Amino acid sequence: MQADTNQSTPIQSDPAPSPSSKRSKSELLSIRNDGDMFRVGLIGGDLRALDTNQLRAQIARLYSPGNPPAILFSMRGTETLNMGCIGAFAQLGSDLERVGGVLVLYNLPKEITKVLKKTKLDRIIHTAKTRPHARKRASAVQKKLAQSLPLRAA
């Protein structure tokens, strides 16, 4: 067994959990600040099409002007993902890239990976097998975006 040596700080989601419970029932995501990137995971492992607005709102809170977020989103425990949710991830990734941020999904089940490849959405949605690979992918995408954003502004 190997210990995780990455230091990370939890980020509180609204509303704050009550002292009597560990998590609020309205929380959808677990968010941790992992240095220069955010690690995000679904609480409970399920994401429904009805949850996409809440997902977008919680991710949007991570953005601060001049400091676009790199978000590593763990899909561990997710068994299925409907097309509405996949579309929300594609849109969220595009929105983040417009401001210099990046979204990388990792620990995807094989079935979801197959769907992304078959629909060619793997060209739009950044994916990785593991967190270290997701970290490298996010860094590479942000570097590429940093080089191209000044060109877009011109």
Side-chain angles (χ1 to χ4, degrees):
M1 178 183 240
Q2 187 175 1
D4 187 2
T5 58
N6 290 337
Q7 296 295 322
S8 58
T9 309
I11 301 290
Q12 272 306 4
S13 296
D14 288 336
S18 67
S20 62
S21 69
K22 290 184 179 180
R23 290 194 167 97
S24 168
K25 290 180 182 173
S26 64
E27 281 186 275
L28 180 64
L29 304 176
S30 167
I31 302 171
R32 299 182 75 74
N33 186 337
D34 195 13
D36 58 339
M37 298 185 184
F38 290 98
R39 287 183 10 220
V40 177
L42 290 169
I43 295 173
D46 293 322
L47 182 64
R48 301 170 302 148
L50 297 174
D51 296 328
T52 57
N53 286 336
Q54 186 178 0
L55 169 80
R56 290 182 62 78
Q58 287 184 339
I59 295 294
R61 283 187 226 134
L62 301 177
Y63 175 74
S64 60
N67 189 21
I71 299 170
L72 311 178
F73 201 115
S74 175
M75 300 302 288
R76 181 176 303 233
T78 304
E79 294 178 21
T80 61
L81 202 58
N82 68 40
M83 288 307 288
C85 294
I86 291 173
F89 279 121
Q91 183 64 47
L92 185 57
S94 294
D95 291 347
L96 283 168
E97 286 187 22
R98 272 194 283 282
V99 296
V102 63
L103 172 68
V104 179
L105 305 181
Y106 70 100
N107 285 338
L108 286 159
K110 289 180 183 177
E111 291 303 314
I112 295 173
T113 303
K114 286 179 187 176
V115 168
L116 292 177
K117 286 184 181 185
K118 191 172 190 173
T119 59
K120 299 192 186 328
L121 285 170
D122 61 333
R123 297 177 184 176
I124 298 168
I125 300 172
H126 301 289
T127 62
K129 290 185 179 184
T130 63
R131 185 177 356 138
H133 185 233
R135 197 172 241 302
K136 288 179 186 175
R137 182 93 192 256
S139 293
V141 170
Q142 276 195 311
K143 185 176 180 180
K144 185 176 178 181
L145 288 172
Q147 293 170 351
S148 68
L149 280 178
L151 296 176
R152 290 183 196 170

